[in-house]
Amino acid sequence: MTVLSPAHPAPTTTGAQVRRGTPEYRRIGAALFLTGFSAFSLIYCAQPLLTAFTRDFHVTPAQSALSLSLTTGCLAVSILIMSAVADSFSRRRVMLTSLLAAALLNGLAALAPTWNLLLLCRTLEGIALGGVPAVAMAYLAEEIHPRDLGAAMGQYVGGTAFGGMMGRVCIGLLSDVTSWHAALLVMGGLGLLSAAGFALLLPASRGFQPRPAAPAREHLRRWAVHLRTPGLGALFTLGFLNLGVMVAAFNYLGFRLHAPPYSLSAAAISLIFLTYLLGSAASGWGGRMADRRGRRPLLLTGLTLGGAGLALTLLTPLPMVILGVTLITVGFFVTHSVASSSVGQLARRDKGHASALYLLAYYAGSSVVGVLGGWVWAAGGWTLLVALCVALLGLGLVFIRRVPRT
C-alpha cells in the first residue's frame, strides 16, 4: 500500500549509503516499520468508535465522524507545511517528536470529559503526525542504497498498512471488552512504546544535514507548476475522491451493522477491517499491472471494483455485505497505488512537492466526504450513502480520461 511519498529526491551519491543485509539496514527497517505502524494506528483508531461516541456524547453520526475527519484534515495541511520546512531540522528529531506528541494526545483524548475536548485532542494529533510522512521516506531515500531502497520502502509501507488495520481491529476488540476510553489509552501506550523502539533503533542521518528552508514564495511557485502539469490535477482529484469514498463507507458501515437485522458488536464489526490484508496485496498487484498495461486501465479497474462492492453492500445477507466491503477495499488500494505512484512519474521536477499536493487532496477527501457522508446517512440511510459514493466514483471515471495513457 503506497500511502506516503518522499518529500525530497534521493541524493546522487551512494558510496556511504546503507546496504541490505547489514545490521544498520535491519535497524532502519525495524524503526521505520514502527513509525508507520504507530502513525496510522493512531490516525484510524477512532473509526471503530463512532457509534460509541454517538451514544456517549449524544452527537449525530456526522458529528462523531469529526473525530477522524479533523485528524486527517489537519494532517493534510501539516504534511504540506512540514514538507516545506522539514529540511531545517534533524530527520530523526522530527519523526520522534511527531510520534511522541501524537501518542500523548491520543491518551488525552481517551480522558477527555467533553466532546469538544476530545475533538481538540484529535485535531492536535493530526497536526503532530504531519512530521512523519513529511520526512520518513525522505530519510530512507537519503540513507539506503538505491538498489535496496525498494525493500526498505516496502517495510515502511507495510508498517503503515498494518497500523491502519490494527488501529481499527484492536480498538474494536478492546472497546467491546473494556471501554473506548481504555482502548484509546492502550493505543496511545502502544504509540509511546513504538516511539521508544524507534528512538533506540534508528541510526543518525549520514546522508542529510539540516539546512535553511527555501523561501515560502519558492514553495508556492513549485506547487503552482504542478497544478498546471497535465494529468497531475486529475490524479490529485482521484486521490480526494478515492479516500473520501473509502472513509465515508467505512465510517457509517459500523452504524448499519450495529443496528438490526445484524446487531453486531463492536468487536465483530472491527474484524471486517481484516479485509485490509487483501487490499495491501492488491496494492502491489495494481502497481505491477500498471507498469505492464498503463495507468488508465488499472485506475478504471480500481474504481469499478469499488462501485461493484458498494452495490453488493445494498444486499441484506451479511456474507454479501462482507464481499462488498472486500471489493471496496481492493478497489481503493488498486486505485491509490496507481494514482500515488503516477504522481512521481508525471512530475517533471520537485517530486516531493507534487507528492505533498497529492497527500493534501487525499486526506482532504477523507475529511470532507467523511463528514458529508454523515449528513447523507442521516437523510437517507445506507442506500443514499451508497448512491453518493457511487456518484463520486463515477466522477472519478471522468477524471481518468485526463490522466496520460502511459
Side-chain angles (χ1 to χ4, degrees):
M1 168 178 152
T2 305
V3 292
L4 305 170
S5 300
H8 304 281
T12 56
T13 59
T14 62
Q17 289 180 299
V18 178
R19 296 303 306 264
R20 189 174 185 180
T22 62
E24 192 172 18
Y25 178 93
R26 289 190 288 270
R27 288 177 59 194
I28 291 173
L32 270 294
F33 180 91
L34 289 174
T35 301
F37 167 80
S38 178
F40 280 76
S41 63
L42 291 171
I43 291 169
Y44 289 106
C45 65
Q47 195 168 48
L49 302 178
L50 301 187
T51 54
F53 292 158
T54 300
R55 179 193 66 235
D56 289 358
F57 290 106
H58 307 290
V59 295
T60 66
Q63 290 172 319
S64 72
L66 289 172
S67 60
L68 177 60
S69 293
L70 286 174
T71 305
T72 55
C74 290
L75 174 65
V77 177
S78 182
I79 288 172
L80 197 67
I81 295 172
M82 287 302 299
S83 67
V85 303
D87 277 358
S88 301
F89 305 95
S90 158
R91 303 288 196 218
R92 185 177 183 275
R93 183 175 300 171
V94 169
M95 288 187 281
L96 182 58
T97 301
S98 293
L99 293 174
L100 287 172
L104 290 172
L105 286 164
N106 207 72
L108 290 176
L111 303 175
T114 67
W115 178 239
N116 287 338
L117 282 176
L118 187 147
L119 290 183
L120 176 61
C121 291
R122 292 288 297 171
T123 298
L124 295 174
E125 196 170 334
I127 295 171
L129 282 170
V132 172
V135 303
M137 283 185 145
Y139 174 91
L140 287 175
E142 291 157 354
E143 303 300 321
I144 303 296
H145 193 282
R147 293 183 181 179
D148 302 316
L149 184 57
M153 290 287 190
Q155 281 186 273
Y156 172 60
V157 171
T160 66
F162 185 69
M165 180 189 73
M166 294 306 294
R168 293 167 167 104
V169 173
C170 288
I171 281 286
L173 295 173
L174 287 171
S175 65
D176 209 38
V177 297
T178 56
S179 68
W180 65 262
H181 303 275
L184 283 181
L185 278 174
V186 169
M187 194 56 61
L190 288 175
L192 289 175
L193 289 175
S194 297
F198 167 86
L200 291 172
L201 289 168
L202 192 75
S205 296
R206 296 192 302 184
F208 169 80
Q209 290 295 328
R211 54 187 179 269
R217 63 178 178 275
E218 176 61 19
H219 294 292
L220 293 172
R221 184 194 65 78
R222 295 173 186 177
W223 286 322
V225 168
H226 291 312
L227 290 174
R228 294 193 297 266
T229 300
L232 282 182
L235 291 172
F236 300 155
T237 304
L238 284 172
F240 177 96
L241 296 172
N242 191 42
L243 185 60
V245 167
M246 177 75 163
V247 168
F250 275 55
N251 274 0
Y252 305 104
L253 178 68
F255 289 96
R256 184 188 181 202
L257 296 180
H258 189 66
Y262 308 105
S263 301
L264 297 182
S265 66
I269 294 171
S270 69
L271 292 177
I272 293 176
F273 291 108
L274 292 173
T275 56
Y276 259 55
L277 295 173
L278 286 175
S280 297
S283 177
W285 174 84
R288 292 191 297 272
M289 293 302 294
D291 290 339
R292 298 177 188 175
R293 301 187 179 183
R295 303 182 187 95
R296 284 192 186 179
L298 268 297
L299 291 172
L300 176 63
T301 298
L303 294 184
T304 302
L305 285 173
L310 285 163
L312 282 176
T313 64
L314 291 173
L315 303 177
T316 302
L318 184 60
M320 299 306 295
V321 175
I322 294 174
L323 176 60
V325 170
T326 302
L327 291 180
I328 294 170
T329 306
V330 170
F332 163 78
F333 275 92
V334 169
T335 302
H336 178 50
S337 66
V338 177
S340 60
S341 62
S342 296
V343 169
Q345 293 170 340
L346 293 183
R348 300 186 182 96
R349 55 182 300 179
D350 299 317
K351 296 179 184 291
H353 285 71
S355 299
L357 285 176
Y358 176 81
L359 291 172
L360 173 65
Y362 181 73
Y363 287 113
S366 169
S367 299
V368 174
V369 183
V371 173
L372 176 62
W375 298 337
V376 172
W377 164 263
W382 186 254
T383 301
L384 190 58
L385 179 64
V386 167
L388 169 68
C389 291
V390 170
L392 293 176
L393 293 182
L395 180 61
L397 295 175
V398 175
F399 280 93
I400 288 178
R401 298 176 61 185
R402 302 183 184 180
V403 177
R405 292 183 180 274
T406 58

